[in-house]
Amino acid sequence: SGVQEDLLAMRMEQVVPALDCRRLLSDGRSGELAELGDAVCQVYAAASRVDGGLTLTAYFVDVTESQKLSAAYEASRPVVGILVVDNYEDLLRAGGDAAKSSVLAQLNEKLCAWVADTSALLRRFDRDRYLLVCDEECFQHLLAEKFSILEAIHQVVSVDGVNAALSIGVGRECATYEESFFWAEKSLEMALSR
């Protein structure tokens, strides 16, 4: 057809502008990813000399679906976070039961609001510790906000003027939630030892 003839007469850089043919040939690399319209292709190339010129033969293997599956897999990887209210005792030292309840309610309110619009699970598992469980996609969203929770928690002030402080340890890029939890504990230990 006319489209095929047009493609055959075009330079490779015109067909796939993002593909660096010189690098592909000089590095001897094959299997480089390139976008071709809406498709993602793996490009395998070989060069040969014909009549004093250089001819590039390229094979385009459509890997769009496998790239989508890979991206979905990466986005679904488990992430575990441990959040600790650093100065929990100092926050609750002054004031009566009502003041203590107010501080705890403010802490819980800010933490719950932080994850409200996400798919994350946040649960208190000790008096000053919270467990965050989410996937990589959700974590990237929280990360993009530069962990706005740190500033929000700092706005919680006790009766005697102590601002709340929060430390966060995160375990990610692990195969299991258990392994993620282990690394979250390790990163929290590092944060608290500063």
Side-chain angles (χ1 to χ4, degrees), residues 113-165:
W114 178 55
V115 296
D117 294 332
T118 70
S119 60
L121 170 73
L122 181 72
R123 292 290 182 263
R124 191 166 121 187
F125 71 95
D126 201 355
R127 60 189 181 92
D128 61 345
R129 292 177 179 254
Y130 295 80
L131 179 68
L132 173 74
V133 179
C134 63
D135 59 22
E136 184 67 28
E137 182 177 27
C138 177
F139 176 74
Q140 290 301 322
H141 171 74
L142 297 173
L143 194 58
E145 294 178 347
K146 298 184 176 158
F147 285 106
S148 59
I149 190 61
L150 297 173
E151 184 57 39
I153 289 294
H154 192 67
Q155 294 172 1
V156 176
V157 182
S158 70
V159 174
D160 58 346
V162 176
N163 292 74

Side-chain angles (χ1 to χ4, degrees), residues 9 16 28 44 53 70 90 106-107 131 133 146 174 182 187 189:
V16 187
Y44 298 94
S70 178
D90 296 336
Q106 289 178 62
L107 290 170
L131 179 68
V133 179
K146 298 184 176 158
C174 301
F182 172 81
S187 62
E189 286 173 17

Side-chain angles (χ1 to χ4, degrees), residues 19-20 23-33 41-47 56-59:
L19 186 64
D20 186 348
R23 190 182 74 198
L24 187 66
L25 293 172
S26 67
D27 292 350
R29 293 173 56 167
S30 223
E32 188 168 318
L33 292 178
C41 296
Q42 202 151 19
V43 183
Y44 298 94
L56 176 68
T57 303
Y59 300 92

Side-chain angles (χ1 to χ4, degrees), residues 39-70:
V40 177
C41 296
Q42 202 151 19
V43 183
Y44 298 94
S48 59
R49 295 231 176 253
V50 178
D51 297 329
L54 186 65
T55 300
L56 176 68
T57 303
Y59 300 92
F60 292 82
V61 179
D62 187 346
V63 292
T64 307
E65 285 305 310
S66 65
Q67 288 294 305
K68 286 179 183 177
L69 284 173
S70 178

Side-chain angles (χ1 to χ4, degrees), residues 77-84 121 123-126 129-134 168-189:
R77 300 282 304 269
V79 176
V80 173
I82 301 172
L83 292 73
V84 175
L121 170 73
R123 292 290 182 263
R124 191 166 121 187
F125 71 95
D126 201 355
R129 292 177 179 254
Y130 295 80
L131 179 68
L132 173 74
V133 179
C134 63
I168 303 173
V170 176
R172 54 190 281 263
E173 297 180 1
C174 301
T176 65
Y177 286 104
E178 184 178 10
E179 188 180 354
S180 294
F181 185 80
F182 172 81
W183 288 110
E185 286 180 313
K186 291 295 180 197
S187 62
L188 183 62
E189 286 173 17

